[in-house]
């Protein structure tokens, strides 16, 4: 492959937040949420990396090549044939970090989309399937990155192709009546810590019920919102993580006890509730989290990463 030709003008992308699992769909289901991070990047002729970050996590995000957005851009450039000498990057983070709302997926997808956009004919060399594969290599699982890339709801899986595991997904158009309420706590939780709490096996009866509910999910999301309460009940992973986020787990139980389709968003500790409530009911939902959570009403993002 010849060295890429870089575009001189800056490129800007916005990427939605995302929730994974949606209860029983562990490492499979993703849902894009209308809370967007924005990233701008421009190729420089000098050997320099100029990074400015504002918003969520700005004091914690590195301004070096250890920055996840930069890592994703470099991975994209490598795929396309080579890196530019320098980069200027501006990031406006809205998605809180370490809360189970796909902040790492947003950065990864944003970086790869920007890299592709900054290369002449980049889309001809890196289609969305190739981009998803690169993103999954970085994230480790395809659920959040699929939703961040394509929007709406996604179902992801792996297939073996040429002795290599390759990520795939299908996109679902979410019923427009469905909205989300995110209950975001102040404390973060590392995904790696949450994953270490999962058991090596679960009871067969739990696996059967979880399979049923996960199978129902696509129908509930697209056509039958009234089935969301059943479809979001998990028997696979949430209870095993309860000790790491007792307040979040208690809120899930409280909401579900009131008939609300609530679950831990991704690895947590954010709690997400899916609903078709009117404005009065939404105001009541906001109060359910109490002082331990910031209740944030969110639309479902029908589109994924978009160049602006």
């Amino acid at each position: 492959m010849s060295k890429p030709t870089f575009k001189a003008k800056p490129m800007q992308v916005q990427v939605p937040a995302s929730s994974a699992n949606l209860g029983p769909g562990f490492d499979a289901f993703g849902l894009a949420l209308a809370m967007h991070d924005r990233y701008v990047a421009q190729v420089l002729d000098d050997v320099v990396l100029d990074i400015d970050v504002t918003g969520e996590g700005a004091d914690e995000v590195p301004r070096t090549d250890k920055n996840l957005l930069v890592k994703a851009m470099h991975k994209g450039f490598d795929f396309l044939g080579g890196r530019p000498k320098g980069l200027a990057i501006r990031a406006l983070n809205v998605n809180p970090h370490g809360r189970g709302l796909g902040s790492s997926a947003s950065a990864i997808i944003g970086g790869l989309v920007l890299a592709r956009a900054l290369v002449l004919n980049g889309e001809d060399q890196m289609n969305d399937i190739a981009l998803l594969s690169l993103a999954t290599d970085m994230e480790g699982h395809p659920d959040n990155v699929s939703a961040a890339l394509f929007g709406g709801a996604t179902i992801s899986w792996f297939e073996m192709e040429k002795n290599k595991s390759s990520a795939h997904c299908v996109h679902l158009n979410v019923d427009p009546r469905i909205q989300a309420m995110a209950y975001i706590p102040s404390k973060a939780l590392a995904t790696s810590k949450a994953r270490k709490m999962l058991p090596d096996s679960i009871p067969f009866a739990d696996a059967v019920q979880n399979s049923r509910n996960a199978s129902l999910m696509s129908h509930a999301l697209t056509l039958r919102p009234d089935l969301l309460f059943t479809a979001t009940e998990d028997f696979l992973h949430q209870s095993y993580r309860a000790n790491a986020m007792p307040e979040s787990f208690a809120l899930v139980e409280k909401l579900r006890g009131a008939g609300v389709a609530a679950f831990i968003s991704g690895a947590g500790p954010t709690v997400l509730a899916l609903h078709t409530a009117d404005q009065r009911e939404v105001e009541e939902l906001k109060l359910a989290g109490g002082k331990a959570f910031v209740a944030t009403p969110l639309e479902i993002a029908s589109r994924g990463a978009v160049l602006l």
Side-chain angles (χ1 to χ4, degrees):
M1 181 183 294
S2 60
K3 186 175 177 61
T5 300
F6 299 108
K7 299 176 184 177
K9 67 177 183 179
M11 293 293 174
Q12 181 177 180
V13 65
Q14 70 172 24
V15 189
S18 56
S19 180
N21 306 332
L22 312 189
F26 187 76
D27 277 3
F29 276 92
L31 184 68
L33 302 169
M35 178 168 58
H36 295 85
D37 289 344
R38 291 194 178 192
Y39 313 112
V40 184
Q42 185 172 18
V43 169
L44 304 177
D45 292 330
D46 298 322
V47 181
V48 63
L49 183 58
D50 176 11
I51 304 174
D52 184 61
V53 182
T54 57
E56 292 286 340
D59 296 334
E60 304 165 8
V61 175
R63 271 71 166 172
T64 68
D65 58 4
K66 301 298 183 184
N67 183 294
L68 187 57
L69 182 71
V70 176
K71 288 182 178 181
M73 292 190 72
H74 284 168
K75 191 174 185 70
F77 286 133
D78 290 344
F79 180 88
L80 293 166
R83 303 178 185 181
K85 289 183 178 179
L87 285 170
I89 294 171
R90 301 293 180 263
L92 172 58
N93 295 331
V94 176
N95 189 349
H97 293 190
R99 303 300 196 282
L101 289 168
S103 60
S104 62
S106 294
I108 290 168
I109 290 297
L112 289 170
V113 170
L114 283 175
R116 181 172 69 177
L118 286 166
V119 171
L120 190 65
N121 299 320
E123 288 194 6
D124 295 335
Q125 301 174 58
M126 184 198 297
N127 61 24
D128 285 344
I129 298 303
L131 194 153
L132 176 63
S133 180
L134 294 172
T136 302
D137 285 345
M138 295 187 69
E139 179 81 341
H141 41 92
D143 43 12
N144 286 102
V145 290
S146 294
L149 178 59
F150 295 109
T154 53
I155 306 173
S156 306
W157 71 95
F158 289 102
E159 290 182 8
M160 290 301 297
E161 298 176 356
K162 298 180 180 179
N163 297 320
K164 182 182 178 181
S165 180
S166 179
H168 296 268
C169 82
V170 292
H171 174 266
L172 304 176
N173 290 315
V174 178
D175 188 306
R177 293 171 291 178
I178 297 174
Q179 301 176 62
M181 181 72 72
Y183 299 91
I184 306 172
S186 59
K187 295 180 181 180
L189 176 65
T191 300
S192 56
K193 178 181 178 180
R195 282 185 174 266
K196 288 179 181 178
M197 303 182 75
L198 299 178
D200 293 328
S201 62
I202 64 170
F204 183 79
D206 287 352
V208 171
Q209 190 59 52
N210 205 75
S211 178
R212 288 171 178 158
N213 292 353
S215 299
L216 184 62
M217 180 71 71
S218 59
H219 193 60
L221 286 169
T222 56
L223 295 171
R224 291 283 304 276
D226 58 300
L227 296 175
L228 281 170
F229 180 75
T230 299
T232 54
E233 187 175 11
D234 167 66
F235 292 83
L236 183 63
H237 64 99
Q238 289 185 158
S239 61
Y240 299 103
R241 294 168 160 175
N243 289 339
M245 45 186 136
E247 290 180 323
S248 297
F249 197 73
L251 178 57
V252 169
E253 292 187 319
K254 174 184 175 181
L255 289 167
R256 295 194 67 85
V260 179
F263 47 87
I264 300 295
S265 181
T270 291
V271 173
L272 197 74
L274 300 180
H275 64 88
T276 56
D278 60 27
Q279 189 56 43
R280 180 186 60 81
E281 293 168 325
V282 167
E283 293 304 315
E284 291 180 0
L285 275 176
K286 282 184 180 180
L287 299 175
K291 296 181 179 180
F293 299 86
V294 176
T296 307
L298 294 170
E299 300 290 330
I300 308 304
S302 59
R303 301 177 68 187
V306 177
L307 289 169
L308 302 175

